[in-house]
């Protein structure tokens, strides 16, 4: 399929020249990097703020309200999406296209999702970003948009192949290298920036101290607050060195929840002292590292706000703690306002108003933009919110857009995409970083590394969770192919996350005559079908290697396995690295970033933080 070139042509150049001339007059045509190079950095902030305040003072109330919103929109193009996406936009937003949404609501930002069909391939993404910026530049205020996405890597990635997919937070936590964490974020940031995406909702800065956490888990760097703080700060440096705003989430900390805030309202029972010790360190570290934005959590922390409002709507938490106590003056963005956790107590028209009163700047993805937008407009007209309060947030948002160089040039080029996205150097770096994260937890009879002469015929079984983003998946296929590539003879039989007795019998029959069996496991629990599968195959006498595809806690339920390796996610780069470790092509270097409790007595630790075997 032919895509329009990413350099948007004559109209774009003319528009850019005219706008740049106007911004030069306002004192905004210099990027922060240029200012630093010319030695203007120190008194530049005052000058920049003056110029930005002139823009704010020229905005209508409607433009100001729109500037606070970051909204989803369906379609691969800003002006000509597919009919199904036009229909979805009409149904959910009341407009046909991104261009119409920007024209009508003057939104300050757009968030990309795979399910909204925003991310087909790199050149299309770049064209979409350019199209959005072109529409923004045609508005009366001529303010560039922030384009954002959730590209945490690991199990949460919106932009897939051929872009580089990198290890996620817990894998990096297992690797333990700040320079690897920084490099991964710098690669990720450079590729996003080349696609016109300039704000990434990463790194996850939650401390995952609850193994039962249904929503964070491997998205966290681990369970040790100091280690999480080091890794999160390193990733902030990496993203922001590439010209992308990093976003630490989910303040004040989502690591000790048993409820998913997408579907309910979690309560954190930490005391104030526990919060200071367990949850706060990573957020303090990212603020010290100069983070551009922080995302709020839809959860209740009674010790921090006795009113028991979700943190997103809590003035004591966002203004009292984040702004005043921690001294943070960057952009505060809500987690998605479509999530159940923030909608349980108040209506969709009130949520954005209460968020602004609490101290938020950017309002992310409300279920109905019209309801949310008019809710804020009404609150200003009635005097509940002052226009001055809006101006404070808008100044922060515009400061960020200026820092990112968007006033100077918000566009990306076809050449930039080709020179940056999914390059051989980036893919090779991802492989090396992944190799240093694989963690060996069990190795009975020194089965590993597997010897091709004695253990050539390998049966691959296991779960096939949906692959995160345009990967070579499913996982069992990737594992089989990686083994074959290294000279083994692999047979693949997908058994799923809940194999029935017939599937278990089939697996046992397939194991006959094999030298080893590799089972990819996915969030195993006591007495589960995956556990029964491993037990049944191990009972045949064939050595069984289990590989946890997500949570490293699986190992506690897999005592029948001869060897166990943790990969922390099922993206290709992690699976291929794990196979290189199994085959002895790489040394297992990872160390557990979380403790694993015993299955029969969760009060006892089976493997502590820092545990990991070597060959």
């Amino acid at each position: 399929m032919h895509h329009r070139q990413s350099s948007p042509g004559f109209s774009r150049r003319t528009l850019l020249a005219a706008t740049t001339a106007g911004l030069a007059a306002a004192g905004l045509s210099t990027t922060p990097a240029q200012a630093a190079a010319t030695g203007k950095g120190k008194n530049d902030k005052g000058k920049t703020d003056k110029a930005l305040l002139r823009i704010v003072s020229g905005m209508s109330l409607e433009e100001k309200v729109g500037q606070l919103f970051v909204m989803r929109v369906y379609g691969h193009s800003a002006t000509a999406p597919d009919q199904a996406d036009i229909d979805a936009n009409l149904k959910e937003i009341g407009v046909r296209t991104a261009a119409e949404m920007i024209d009508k609501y003057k939104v300050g930002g757009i968030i990309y999702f795979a399910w909204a069909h925003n991310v087909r391939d790199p050149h299309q993404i770049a064209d979409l970003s350019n199209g959005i910026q072109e529409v923004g530049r045609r508005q009366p205020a001529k303010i560039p948009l922030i384009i954002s996405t959730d590209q945490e890597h690991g199990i949460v990635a919106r932009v897939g192949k051929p872009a580089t997919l990198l290890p996620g937070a817990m894998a990096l936590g297992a690797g333990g290298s700040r320079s690897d964490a920084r490099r991964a974020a710098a690669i990720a940031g450079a590729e996003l920036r080349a696609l016109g995406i300039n704000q990434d909702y990463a790194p996850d800065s939650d401390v995952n101290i609850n193994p039962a956490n249904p929503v964070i888990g491997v998205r966290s760097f681990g369970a040790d607050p100091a280690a999480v703080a080091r890794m999160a700060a390193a990733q902030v440096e990496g993203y922001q060195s590439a010209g992308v705003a990093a976003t630490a989430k989910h303040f004040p900390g989502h690591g000790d929840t048993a409820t998913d805030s997408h579907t309910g309202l979690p309560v954190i029972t930490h005391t104030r002292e526990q919060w200071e010790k367990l949850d706060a360190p990573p957020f303090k570290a990212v603020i010290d590292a100069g983070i551009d934005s922080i995302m709020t959590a839809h959860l209740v922390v009674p010790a921090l706000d006795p009113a028991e409002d979700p943190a997103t709507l809590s003035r004591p938490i966002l203004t009292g703690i984040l702004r005043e106590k921690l001294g943070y003056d960057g952009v505060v963005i809500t987690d998605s306002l479509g999530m159940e956790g923030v909608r349980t107590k108040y209506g969709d028209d009130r949520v954005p108003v209460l968020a602004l009163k609490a101290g938020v700047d950017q309002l992310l993805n409300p279920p109905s933009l019209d309801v949310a937008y008019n809710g804020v407009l009404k609150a200003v007209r009635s005097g509940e919110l002052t226009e001055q309060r809006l101006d404070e947030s808008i100044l922060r948002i515009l400061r960020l857009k200026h820092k990112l160089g968007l006033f100077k040039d918000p566009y990306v080029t076809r050449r930039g995409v080709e020179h940056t996205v999914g390059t051989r150097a980036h893919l090779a770096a991802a492989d090396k970083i992944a190799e240093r994260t694989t963690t060996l937890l069990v190795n009975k009879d020194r089965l590993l590394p597997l010897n091709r002469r004695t253990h050539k015929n390998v049966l691959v079984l296991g779960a096939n969770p949906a692959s995160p983003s345009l990967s070579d998946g499913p996982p069992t296929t990737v594992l089989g192919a990686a083994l074959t590539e290294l000279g083994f003879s692999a047979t693949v039989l997908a058994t799923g996350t809940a194999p029935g007795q017939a599937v278990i019998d089939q697996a046992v029959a397939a194991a006959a005559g094999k030298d080893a069996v590799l089972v990819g496991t996915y969030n195993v629990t006591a007495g589960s079908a995956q556990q029964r599968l491993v037990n049944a195959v191990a009972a045949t006498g064939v050595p069984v290697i289990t590989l946890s595809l997500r949570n490293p806690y699986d190992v506690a339920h897999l005592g029948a396995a001869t060897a166990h390796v943790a990969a922390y996610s099922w993206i290709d780069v992690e699976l291929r690295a794990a196979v290189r470790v199994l085959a002895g092509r790489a040394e297992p270097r990872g160390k557990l970033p979380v403790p694993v409790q015993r299955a029969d007595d969760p009060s006892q630790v089976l493997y502590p933080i820092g545990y990991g075997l070597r060959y």
Side-chain angles (χ1 to χ4, degrees):
M1 179 180 168
H2 177 71
H3 289 301
R4 181 173 65 80
Q5 287 237 344
S6 296
S7 70
F10 176 74
S11 65
R12 172 244 155 168
R13 282 198 301 275
T14 317
L15 189 66
L16 186 54
T19 316
T20 305
L23 291 166
L28 279 175
S29 62
T30 314
T31 66
Q34 287 170 320
T38 53
K40 286 197 260 180
K42 285 185 181 156
N43 32 17
D44 219 42
K45 188 174 184 291
K47 270 191 199 164
T48 300
D49 274 6
K50 259 189 196 162
L52 293 173
L53 285 166
R54 280 201 290 278
I55 294 174
V56 177
S57 66
M59 293 167 75
S60 67
L61 176 58
E62 288 77 8
E63 285 173 319
K64 288 179 179 181
V65 172
Q67 190 61 215
L68 304 170
F69 285 96
V70 178
M71 186 60 183
R72 71 189 176 280
V73 69
Y74 290 85
H76 71 287
S77 155
T79 51
D82 296 342
Q83 189 59 49
D85 292 322
I86 290 173
D87 295 343
N89 284 329
L90 283 168
K91 186 177 169 206
E92 289 186 25
I93 314 169
V95 296
R96 296 167 70 256
T97 64
E100 285 183 15
M101 181 172 76
I102 298 164
D103 283 341
K104 182 173 180 183
Y105 292 103
K106 316 295 187 220
V107 291
I110 286 179
I111 177 173
Y112 288 171
F113 290 107
W115 51 257
H117 310 137
N118 305 138
V119 290
R120 284 184 186 173
D121 68 72
H123 286 300
Q124 166 271 320
I125 299 170
D127 286 343
L128 173 60
S129 299
N130 283 340
I132 285 167
Q133 296 296 3
E134 221 165 307
V135 179
R137 280 283 170 95
R138 287 204 305 264
Q139 303 307 313
K142 294 183 170 55
I143 297 171
L145 282 88
I146 278 199
I147 297 172
S148 60
T149 200
D150 286 286
Q151 190 80 351
E152 297 173 17
H153 289 274
I155 69 166
V156 177
R158 310 296 185 218
V159 179
K161 284 188 163 188
T164 307
L165 288 166
L166 291 134
M170 194 171 283
L172 292 170
S177 162
R178 287 188 80 245
S179 67
D180 277 356
R182 191 186 299 107
R183 175 95 175 105
I187 290 169
E191 296 199 7
L192 290 175
R193 180 80 196 202
L195 299 170
I197 298 170
N198 29 58
Q199 184 177 23
D200 188 15
Y201 301 139
D204 190 302
S205 302
D206 302 309
V207 181
N208 199 72
I209 54 175
N210 184 347
N213 193 323
V215 66
I216 305 301
V218 294
R219 295 169 62 195
S220 158
F221 291 104
D224 172 18
V228 174
R230 282 195 301 275
M231 301 304 275
Q235 287 229 295
V236 170
E237 291 162 15
Y239 281 118
Q240 294 187 183
S241 72
V244 166
T247 310
K249 59 191 187 185
H250 308 79
F251 189 81
H254 212 312
D256 190 11
T257 55
T259 304
D260 183 344
S261 50
H262 291 85
T263 53
L265 181 59
V267 177
I268 302 263
T269 55
H270 292 180
T271 64
R272 182 77 182 232
E273 292 69 35
Q274 285 173 317
W275 177 81
E276 289 275 3
K277 200 172 107 204
L278 297 171
D279 303 289
F283 292 102
K284 289 177 179 167
V286 296
I287 291 168
D288 287 347
I291 193 150
D292 286 327
S293 47
I294 290 179
M295 181 179 282
T296 67
H298 303 326
L299 46 75
V300 167
V301 192
L304 303 184
D305 182 0
E308 300 201 5
D309 278 329
T312 300
L313 311 180
S314 165
R315 190 170 169 82
I317 291 174
L318 299 187
T319 297
I321 296 175
L322 182 56
R323 294 267 190 235
E324 292 167 2
K325 186 168 187 293
L326 301 184
Y328 176 66
D329 193 36
V331 169
V332 174
I333 180 164
T334 69
D335 204 342
S336 169
L337 296 180
M339 289 165 60
E340 205 49 46
V342 78
R343 301 174 75 191
T344 51
K345 276 179 87 167
Y346 305 99
D348 290 338
D349 59 332
R350 297 295 300 151
V351 164
V353 175
L354 296 170
L356 289 167
K357 288 172 84 167
V360 156
D361 303 307
Q362 286 183 308
L363 301 159
L364 179 61
N365 201 27
S368 163
L369 179 57
D370 200 63
V371 167
Y373 175 92
N374 283 303
V376 175
L377 209 51
K378 183 180 162 201
V380 179
R381 287 183 175 146
S382 72
E384 183 185 3
L385 275 174
T386 64
E387 203 165 331
Q388 185 192 353
R389 168 66 195 88
L390 264 53
D391 292 353
E392 283 170 27
S393 283
I394 291 160
L395 179 59
R396 286 193 193 100
I397 294 165
L398 297 189
R399 267 185 200 142
L400 179 53
K401 291 180 177 185
H402 174 255
K403 181 190 171 188
L404 295 171
L406 298 178
F407 281 103
K408 186 168 190 296
D409 182 1
Y411 298 107
V412 291
T413 64
R414 192 168 190 88
R415 191 158 178 255
V417 170
E418 280 159 9
H419 283 223
T420 314
V421 178
T423 61
R424 192 176 296 159
H426 284 180
L427 295 169
D431 279 334
K432 281 286 163 219
I433 292 168
E435 228 166 62
R436 293 191 277 268
T437 68
T438 307
T439 309
L440 177 63
L441 296 174
V442 177
N443 194 15
K444 297 175 196 167
D445 309 326
R446 303 190 65 171
L447 172 66
L448 300 179
L450 277 185
N451 184 319
R452 263 184 314 181
R453 286 188 296 282
T454 56
H455 293 83
K456 187 178 175 69
N457 293 314
V458 182
L459 172 65
V460 178
L461 306 172
N464 277 334
S467 289
S469 261
L470 307 177
S471 71
D472 295 338
T476 52
T477 306
V478 174
L479 292 168
L483 282 164
T484 302
E485 208 177 295
L486 295 182
F488 292 86
S489 175
T491 311
V492 174
L493 172 64
T495 48
T497 50
Q501 195 54 50
V503 172
I504 292 174
D505 293 344
Q506 199 185 349
V508 167
K514 294 291 187 286
D515 300 318
V517 178
L518 173 61
V519 187
T521 64
Y522 185 89
N523 296 3
V524 180
T525 52
S528 64
Q530 289 181 79
Q531 187 187 47
R532 287 200 301 278
L533 170 78
V534 169
N535 291 346
V537 175
T540 67
V542 181
V544 175
I545 305 151
T546 48
L547 171 67
S548 49
L549 301 176
R550 186 171 179 164
N551 291 336
Y553 311 114
D554 288 6
V555 65
H557 305 287
L558 301 171
T562 309
H564 183 89
V565 173
Y568 307 100
S569 91
W570 60 100
I571 57 166
D572 303 358
V573 71
E574 286 286 7
L575 297 180
R576 287 196 310 267
V579 169
R580 288 197 298 281
V581 168
L582 295 177
R585 297 296 178 92
E587 181 78 28
R589 295 180 189 280
K591 306 275 186 209
L592 274 179
V594 291
V596 174
Q597 275 104 347
R598 285 175 52 155
D600 57 347
D601 181 3
S603 68
Q604 299 294 308
V605 171
L606 180 63
Y607 300 112
I609 290 178
Y611 184 85
L613 303 173
R614 301 288 283 265
Y615 292 150

Coordinates of all heavy atoms in Angstrom, one line a residue, residues 103-152:
D103 N -10.2 20.7 15.3 CA -11.0 21.9 14.9 C -12.1 22.2 15.9 O -12.2 23.4 16.3 CB -11.7 21.7 13.5 CG -10.7 21.8 12.4 OD1 -9.6 22.4 12.6 OD2 -11.0 21.3 11.3
K104 N -12.8 21.2 16.4 CA -13.9 21.4 17.3 C -13.5 21.7 18.7 O -14.0 22.6 19.4 CB -14.9 20.2 17.2 CG -16.1 20.4 18.1 CD -17.1 19.3 17.9 CE -18.4 19.5 18.7 NZ -19.3 18.4 18.6
Y105 N -12.6 20.9 19.2 CA -12.3 21.0 20.7 C -10.9 21.6 21.0 O -10.6 21.8 22.2 CB -12.3 19.6 21.3 CG -13.7 19.0 21.3 CD1 -14.1 18.0 20.4 CD2 -14.7 19.4 22.3 CE1 -15.4 17.5 20.4 CE2 -15.9 18.9 22.3 CZ -16.3 17.9 21.4 OH -17.6 17.4 21.4
K106 N -10.1 21.9 20.0 CA -8.7 22.5 20.2 C -7.9 21.7 21.2 O -7.3 22.3 22.1 CB -8.8 23.9 20.7 CG -9.9 24.8 19.9 CD -9.5 25.0 18.5 CE -10.5 26.0 17.8 NZ -10.8 25.6 16.4
V107 N -8.0 20.3 21.1 CA -7.3 19.5 22.1 C -5.8 19.8 22.1 O -5.2 20.1 21.1 CB -7.6 18.0 21.9 CG1 -9.0 17.6 22.2 CG2 -7.2 17.5 20.5
G108 N -5.2 19.6 23.3 CA -3.7 19.9 23.4 C -2.9 18.7 23.0 O -1.7 18.8 22.8
G109 N -3.5 17.5 23.0 CA -2.7 16.3 22.7 C -3.6 15.2 22.2 O -4.8 15.2 22.4
I110 N -3.0 14.2 21.6 CA -3.6 13.0 21.1 C -2.8 11.8 21.6 O -1.6 11.8 21.5 CB -3.8 13.0 19.6 CG1 -4.9 14.0 19.3 CG2 -4.1 11.6 19.0 CD1 -5.2 14.2 17.8
I111 N -3.5 10.7 22.0 CA -2.9 9.5 22.4 C -3.1 8.4 21.4 O -4.2 8.2 20.9 CB -3.3 9.0 23.9 CG1 -2.7 7.7 24.2 CG2 -4.9 8.9 23.9 CD1 -3.0 7.2 25.7
Y112 N -2.0 7.7 21.0 CA -2.1 6.6 20.1 C -2.4 5.3 20.7 O -1.7 5.0 21.8 CB -0.8 6.5 19.2 CG -0.6 7.6 18.2 CD1 0.7 7.7 17.6 CD2 -1.5 8.5 17.9 CE1 0.9 8.7 16.7 CE2 -1.3 9.5 17.0 CZ 0.0 9.6 16.4 OH 0.2 10.6 15.4
F113 N -3.3 4.5 20.1 CA -3.5 3.1 20.6 C -3.5 2.2 19.3 O -3.9 2.6 18.2 CB -4.9 2.9 21.2 CG -5.0 3.6 22.6 CD1 -5.7 4.7 22.7 CD2 -4.4 3.0 23.7 CE1 -5.9 5.3 24.0 CE2 -4.6 3.6 24.9 CZ -5.3 4.7 25.1
A114 N -3.1 0.9 19.5 CA -3.1 0.0 18.4 C -4.6 -0.3 18.1 O -4.9 -0.4 16.9 CB -2.4 -1.3 18.8
W115 N -5.4 -0.5 19.1 CA -6.8 -0.8 18.8 C -7.6 0.3 18.2 O -8.7 0.1 17.6 CB -7.6 -1.3 20.1 CG -7.5 -0.4 21.3 CD1 -6.7 -0.6 22.4 CD2 -8.2 0.8 21.6 NE1 -6.8 0.4 23.3 CE2 -7.7 1.3 22.8 CE3 -9.1 1.6 20.9 CZ2 -8.2 2.5 23.4 CZ3 -9.6 2.8 21.4 CH2 -9.1 3.2 22.7
A116 N -7.1 1.6 18.2 CA -7.7 2.7 17.5 C -7.1 2.8 16.1 O -7.4 3.8 15.4 CB -7.5 4.0 18.3
H117 N -6.3 1.8 15.7 CA -5.7 1.8 14.4 C -4.8 3.0 14.0 O -4.8 3.4 12.9 CB -6.9 1.6 13.3 CG -7.8 0.5 13.6 ND1 -9.2 0.6 13.5 CD2 -7.6 -0.7 14.2 CE1 -9.7 -0.5 14.0 NE2 -8.8 -1.3 14.3
N118 N -4.1 3.5 15.1 CA -3.2 4.6 14.8 C -1.8 4.1 14.4 O -1.0 5.0 14.0 CB -3.1 5.4 16.1 CG -4.4 5.9 16.7 OD1 -4.6 5.9 17.9 ND2 -5.3 6.4 15.9
V119 N -1.5 2.9 14.6 CA -0.1 2.4 14.5 C 0.1 1.2 13.6 O 0.6 0.2 14.0 CB 0.5 2.2 15.9 CG1 0.6 3.4 16.7 CG2 -0.4 1.2 16.7
R120 N -0.2 1.4 12.3 CA 0.0 0.3 11.3 C 1.5 0.0 11.0 O 1.9 -1.1 11.0 CB -0.7 0.7 10.0 CG -2.2 0.6 10.0 CD -2.7 0.9 8.7 NE -4.2 0.9 8.7 CZ -4.9 1.3 7.7 NH1 -4.4 1.6 6.5 NH2 -6.2 1.3 7.7
D121 N 2.2 1.1 10.6 CA 3.6 0.9 10.3 C 4.3 2.3 10.4 O 3.6 3.3 10.5 CB 3.7 0.4 8.8 CG 3.3 1.4 7.8 OD1 4.0 2.4 7.6 OD2 2.2 1.2 7.2
P122 N 5.6 2.3 10.5 CA 6.3 3.5 10.8 C 6.0 4.7 10.0 O 5.8 5.8 10.5 CB 7.8 3.1 10.7 CG 7.8 1.6 11.1 CD 6.6 1.1 10.5
H123 N 6.0 4.5 8.6 CA 5.8 5.7 7.8 C 4.3 6.2 8.0 O 4.1 7.4 7.9 CB 6.1 5.4 6.3 CG 7.5 5.3 6.1 ND1 8.4 6.3 6.3 CD2 8.3 4.3 5.6 CE1 9.6 6.0 6.0 NE2 9.6 4.7 5.6
Q124 N 3.4 5.3 8.1 CA 2.0 5.7 8.4 C 1.9 6.5 9.7 O 1.2 7.5 9.8 CB 1.1 4.5 8.4 CG -0.3 4.7 9.0 CD -0.4 4.5 10.5 OE1 0.2 3.5 11.0 NE2 -1.1 5.3 11.2
I125 N 2.6 6.0 10.7 CA 2.5 6.7 12.0 C 3.1 8.1 11.9 O 2.5 9.1 12.4 CB 3.3 5.9 13.1 CG1 2.7 4.5 13.4 CG2 3.3 6.7 14.5 CD1 3.6 3.6 14.2
A126 N 4.2 8.2 11.2 CA 4.9 9.5 11.0 C 3.9 10.5 10.2 O 3.8 11.6 10.5 CB 6.2 9.4 10.2
D127 N 3.3 9.9 9.2 CA 2.3 10.7 8.4 C 1.1 11.2 9.3 O 0.7 12.3 9.2 CB 1.7 9.9 7.2 CG 2.7 9.7 6.1 OD1 3.7 10.5 6.1 OD2 2.5 8.8 5.2
L128 N 0.6 10.3 10.1 CA -0.5 10.6 11.0 C 0.0 11.8 11.9 O -0.8 12.7 12.1 CB -0.9 9.4 11.8 CG -1.9 9.6 12.9 CD1 -3.2 10.2 12.4 CD2 -2.2 8.3 13.7
S129 N 1.2 11.6 12.5 CA 1.7 12.7 13.4 C 1.8 14.0 12.7 O 1.4 15.1 13.2 CB 3.1 12.3 14.0 OG 3.0 11.1 14.7
N130 N 2.4 14.0 11.5 CA 2.5 15.2 10.7 C 1.1 15.8 10.4 O 0.9 17.0 10.4 CB 3.3 15.0 9.4 CG 4.8 14.8 9.7 OD1 5.3 15.3 10.7 ND2 5.5 14.2 8.7
G131 N 0.2 14.9 10.0 CA -1.2 15.4 9.7 C -1.8 16.1 10.9 O -2.5 17.2 10.8
I132 N -1.6 15.5 12.1 CA -2.2 16.1 13.3 C -1.5 17.5 13.6 O -2.2 18.4 13.9 CB -1.9 15.1 14.5 CG1 -2.9 13.9 14.4 CG2 -2.1 15.8 15.9 CD1 -2.6 12.8 15.3
Q133 N -0.2 17.5 13.4 CA 0.5 18.8 13.7 C 0.1 19.9 12.7 O -0.1 21.1 13.0 CB 2.0 18.6 13.7 CG 2.5 17.7 14.8 CD 2.3 18.2 16.2 OE1 1.7 19.3 16.4 NE2 2.8 17.5 17.2
E134 N -0.2 19.5 11.4 CA -0.6 20.4 10.4 C -1.9 21.0 10.8 O -2.1 22.2 10.6 CB -0.7 19.6 9.1 CG -0.2 20.4 7.9 CD 0.0 19.5 6.7 OE1 0.7 18.5 6.8 OE2 -0.5 19.9 5.6
V135 N -2.9 20.2 11.3 CA -4.2 20.7 11.7 C -4.0 21.6 12.9 O -4.6 22.7 13.0 CB -5.1 19.6 12.0 CG1 -6.5 20.1 12.5 CG2 -5.3 18.6 10.8
G136 N -3.1 21.3 13.8 CA -2.9 22.1 15.0 C -2.4 23.5 14.6 O -2.8 24.5 15.1
R137 N -1.5 23.5 13.6 CA -0.9 24.8 13.2 C -1.9 25.7 12.4 O -1.7 26.9 12.3 CB 0.3 24.5 12.2 CG 1.6 24.1 13.0 CD 2.2 25.4 13.6 NE 3.3 25.1 14.5 CZ 4.6 25.1 14.1 NH1 4.9 25.3 12.9 NH2 5.5 24.9 15.0
R138 N -3.0 25.1 12.0 CA -4.1 25.9 11.3 C -5.0 26.5 12.3 O -5.9 27.3 11.9 CB -4.9 25.0 10.3 CG -4.1 24.6 9.1 CD -5.1 24.3 7.9 NE -6.0 23.2 8.3 CZ -5.9 21.9 8.0 NH1 -4.8 21.5 7.4 NH2 -6.8 21.0 8.3
Q139 N -4.9 26.1 13.6 CA -5.9 26.7 14.6 C -5.5 28.1 14.9 O -4.3 28.5 14.7 CB -5.8 25.9 15.8 CG -6.2 24.4 15.6 CD -7.5 24.1 14.9 OE1 -8.5 24.8 15.2 NE2 -7.5 23.3 13.9
P140 N -6.4 28.9 15.4 CA -6.1 30.3 15.7 C -4.9 30.5 16.6 O -4.0 31.4 16.4 CB -7.4 30.9 16.4 CG -8.5 30.0 15.9 CD -7.8 28.6 15.6
A141 N -4.7 29.6 17.6 CA -3.6 29.8 18.5 C -2.3 29.2 18.0 O -1.2 29.4 18.6 CB -4.0 29.2 19.9
K142 N -2.4 28.4 16.9 CA -1.2 27.8 16.3 C -0.3 27.0 17.3 O 0.9 27.0 17.2 CB -0.4 28.8 15.6 CG -1.0 29.5 14.4 CD -0.1 30.4 13.7 CE -0.6 30.9 12.4 NZ -2.0 31.5 12.5
I143 N -0.9 26.3 18.2 CA -0.1 25.6 19.2 C 0.1 24.1 18.8 O -0.9 23.4 18.4 CB -0.8 25.6 20.6 CG1 -1.0 27.0 21.1 CG2 -0.1 24.8 21.6 CD1 -1.8 27.2 22.3
P144 N 1.3 23.6 18.8 CA 1.6 22.2 18.4 C 0.9 21.3 19.4 O 0.7 21.7 20.6 CB 3.1 22.1 18.4 CG 3.6 23.2 19.3 CD 2.6 24.3 19.2
L145 N 0.6 20.1 19.0 CA 0.1 19.1 19.9 C 1.1 18.2 20.5 O 2.2 18.0 19.8 CB -1.0 18.2 19.1 CG -2.3 18.9 18.9 CD1 -2.3 19.7 17.6 CD2 -3.5 17.9 18.9
I146 N 0.9 17.7 21.7 CA 1.7 16.6 22.2 C 1.1 15.3 21.8 O -0.2 15.2 21.9 CB 1.8 16.7 23.7 CG1 2.8 17.7 24.1 CG2 2.1 15.4 24.3 CD1 3.4 17.6 25.6
I147 N 1.9 14.4 21.2 CA 1.4 13.1 20.8 C 2.0 12.1 21.7 O 3.2 12.1 21.9 CB 1.7 12.9 19.3 CG1 0.9 13.9 18.4 CG2 1.3 11.4 18.9 CD1 1.3 13.9 17.0
S148 N 1.2 11.3 22.3 CA 1.7 10.4 23.4 C 1.2 8.9 23.1 O 0.3 8.7 22.3 CB 1.1 10.8 24.7 OG -0.3 10.8 24.7
T149 N 1.9 8.0 23.8 CA 1.4 6.6 23.8 C 2.0 5.9 25.0 O 2.9 6.4 25.7 CB 1.9 5.9 22.5 OG1 1.1 4.8 22.3 CG2 3.3 5.5 22.5
D150 N 1.5 4.7 25.3 CA 2.0 3.8 26.3 C 3.0 2.9 25.7 O 2.7 1.8 25.3 CB 0.9 3.0 26.9 CG 0.0 3.8 27.8 OD1 0.4 4.1 28.9 OD2 -1.2 4.1 27.4
Q151 N 4.3 3.2 25.7 CA 5.3 2.4 25.1 C 6.3 2.1 26.2 O 7.4 2.6 26.3 CB 6.0 3.0 23.9 CG 6.9 2.1 23.1 CD 6.2 1.2 22.1 OE1 5.0 1.2 22.1 NE2 7.0 0.6 21.3
E152 N 5.8 1.2 27.2 CA 6.7 0.9 28.3 C 7.7 -0.2 27.9 O 8.8 -0.3 28.6 CB 5.8 0.2 29.5 CG 4.8 1.2 30.1 CD 3.9 0.4 31.1 OE1 4.2 -0.7 31.5 OE2 2.8 1.0 31.4

